[in-house]
Amino acid sequence: MSKVAIIGGGLGGLAAACVAQARGHQVTLFDKNEWLGGKAAVLHLDAPHEPGGRNGGSFRFDMGPTILTVPRVLRRIFAEAGREQARDLPLIRLDPQWRCFFEDGTRIDLRENVEAMARDMDEFAPGNGAGYREFQRMSENLHRISEGFFFWKSVEGIGDTIDFRANMRADTLKDVMALGMGKRVAKVIRGHVPDARLAQMLDHYCQYVGSSPYLAPAVLCSIGDMQASEGIWYPVGGTRAVAEGLAKLAESLGAELRPGTEVTGLDLREGGTRVAGVVAKGQTIPFDAVISNMDAIRTYKELVGGKTGRKYEKKGFEPACSGVVLYLGLNKRYDHVAHHDFVFSRDAEEEFDAIYKKGIPAPDPTAYLAAPSATDPTVAPDGGEALYVLVHTPHLRPGQDWSKMFPAYRQTILDKLKRTAGMEDIEERIVVERALTPQDIHDRYKVLDGAIYGLASHGAWTGAFKPGNRSKAVKGLYLAGGAAHPGPGMPMVMMSGWIAADAMDQDMGGRGMSEAARLAGTRDAPLPQAAE
């Protein structure tokens, strides 16, 4: 039985622990924090009681990711252990998927059904429905191609996606051309849906990966089909329930979980080209393989070091955006707000140019809201709301002191909600609050420059590529998380953990994937039944 260390108990590390342990390897998972789940943490806030008011009570917030898509990734992970995800981790399907608020006072819901959405678009902005249908057909094709070229395997560059000697058939070449390499997401979207507001709505698929649609490659348009074909889901108990469910599964299989134990180094042999263990609490602990769920670039720079560390530091990977998150306990919910909402900026190009090119907070930002109380009344006192507000910002830049910048930007965000989302009295409804700034995110999660989503997916030709899950520089080292292939977002991070564990299992001569797990993760697998 191979002994495998996992560094970091985020969703990628927990997914890797479940898969590796289910395949017969002995896993020890280390995390520097006292909790497991990484950014999928939970925040409980108790509001003060005030005479004559409806204040008081407890609010529960998902601190990190709040949108779950592509549930078949979770199904495959549970199936690896012979378990049913729908039974162990029930999900609630959400439709409409988002409610969109625009600066001109208009609103539209993003609906799962493509035909229904196209009809709504034609009512909202005549002449856009047909283009949306065509966009979704293209997105479906990109999703199919991504499944064959990018998903479920370690990829670091174009050479890892295609065996050029074996696969240079006409159909393969057609798929390569369909990837739209050399094109950007924003241009593709506006070529199909010219209305500026509807284009903004579709642009924000890119925000799952913390990137600008004006800089990201066209292949990311595939997210549109992932969402339309497989839905948006709310795990019962919030997205924190995913972390807890994976931790419970890993432990039930026999994995040793060690929160509060930081790995500070690797035991490297053969001139730094093979890993033989980890260093934790001053002790060197031997392992046959190591899966790092720590940020990939920081793994190479801080744990591997030497030539390899310098090589990855020089590759020019750009951190994805960071963000300001407000956790607002409200004494009254807003009935016109859906579970997921986007309150869009006045000008998409101005917003993304500020964040990604100028490196400054957008003067008029887009705010993402999660208002889960209508779906899950347990998040807030009766009639209240646990409102999560996320505004993307640049990753940390020299000279930016968020302890000084935050108060004014908090007011910018609240003013945006008042002006564009019909929440004029929001400051009167807040009874308790907390916040995270880019500096907090950097310090709390040990990510690169406070980047929520790991590495940006920028570059029309190679923007989709991240460090591979099987290290080419250090034998026995594998990578998971948002800064490794296939990138950020809940399903992709968990897929990265699956890929890292699968690559390790292959290299160690393990048992491989079961047929049940293979079927559970396919696009054609039946969708799970929604929880009541």
Side-chain angles (χ1 to χ4, degrees), residues 448-515:
L448 186 65
D449 294 334
I452 301 174
Y453 308 92
L455 302 176
S457 298
H458 289 164
W461 295 93
T462 59
F465 296 112
K466 306 287 187 292
N469 311 94
R470 177 191 280 114
S471 175
K472 294 181 178 181
V474 182
K475 185 177 181 181
L477 176 64
Y478 305 85
L479 301 169
H485 174 77
M490 283 186 77
M492 297 300 106
V493 164
M494 291 186 287
M495 187 186 290
S496 79
W498 184 93
I499 296 169
D502 180 65
M504 179 278 301
D505 182 60
Q506 291 177 35
D507 294 346
M508 295 288 176
R511 65 181 61 164
M513 176 170 49
S514 68
E515 179 64 9

Side-chain angles (χ1 to χ4, degrees), residues 181-352:
M181 296 180 80
K183 297 179 182 177
R184 314 276 187 173
V185 167
K187 186 172 183 179
V188 171
I189 287 172
R190 284 154 183 77
H192 290 85
V193 179
D195 183 82
R197 298 161 299 174
L198 296 176
Q200 265 192 305
M201 177 177 73
L202 300 179
D203 278 345
H204 273 67
Y205 290 135
C206 267
Q207 295 301 274
Y208 285 130
V209 296
S211 302
S212 167
Y214 293 92
L215 300 172
V219 68
L220 292 183
C221 292
S222 61
I223 297 171
D225 181 64
M226 294 179 202
Q227 194 158 300
S229 64
E230 301 190 52
I232 276 184
W233 302 80
Y234 176 78
V236 173
T239 49
R240 175 63 189 166
V242 176
E244 292 174 347
L246 291 174
K248 181 179 178 182
L249 176 60
E251 200 162 36
S252 73
L253 294 170
E256 180 185 0
L257 308 181
R258 295 178 61 179
T261 307
E262 183 174 7
V263 171
T264 55
L266 298 176
D267 179 13
L268 295 169
R269 308 286 177 89
E270 299 171 18
T273 61
R274 180 175 68 85
V275 66
V278 302
V279 179
K281 294 188 174 180
Q283 290 187 314
T284 299
I285 309 168
F287 287 98
D288 299 302
V290 175
I291 298 173
S292 178
N293 185 213
M294 179 177 162
D295 178 275
I297 302 304
R298 293 187 72 176
T299 296
Y300 280 122
K301 181 181 175 182
E302 299 173 21
L303 297 184
V304 176
K307 289 185 189 177
T308 299
R310 290 191 293 273
K311 174 186 172 184
Y312 274 86
E313 199 173 5
K314 291 177 180 177
K315 275 180 175 281
F317 287 110
E318 176 190 353
C321 68
S322 190
V324 167
V325 190
L326 305 181
Y327 307 98
L328 306 178
L330 308 183
N331 59 16
K332 185 180 179 184
R333 79 177 309 273
Y334 288 96
D335 292 331
H336 69 282
V337 170
H339 188 126
H340 297 300
D341 308 84
F342 279 100
V343 184
F344 284 106
S345 66
R346 65 191 173 213
D347 184 314
E349 199 160 0
E350 173 193 61
E351 176 189 12
F352 290 118

Side-chain angles (χ1 to χ4, degrees), residues 21 100 108 126 148 150 223 228 239 253 255 271 298 356 362 390 453 519:
Q21 191 71 37
C100 303
I108 191 171
F150 294 109
I223 297 171
T239 49
L253 294 170
R298 293 187 72 176
Y356 297 99
L390 168 65
Y453 308 92
L519 290 172

Side-chain angles (χ1 to χ4, degrees), residues 6 10-20 29 73 77 246 493-498 501:
I6 297 180
L11 294 178
L14 289 171
C18 293
V19 175
L29 182 148
V73 177
I77 292 166
L246 291 174
V493 164
M494 291 186 287
M495 187 186 290
S496 79
W498 184 93

Side-chain angles (χ1 to χ4, degrees), residues 319 355 357-361 394-402 405 438-439 442 448-450:
I355 295 171
K357 290 186 177 179
K358 295 179 180 176
I360 60 173
H395 61 79
L396 287 175
R397 299 300 210 278
Q400 291 184 347
D401 183 347
W402 274 96
M405 296 164 63
Q439 189 65 54
H442 176 80
L448 186 65
D449 294 334

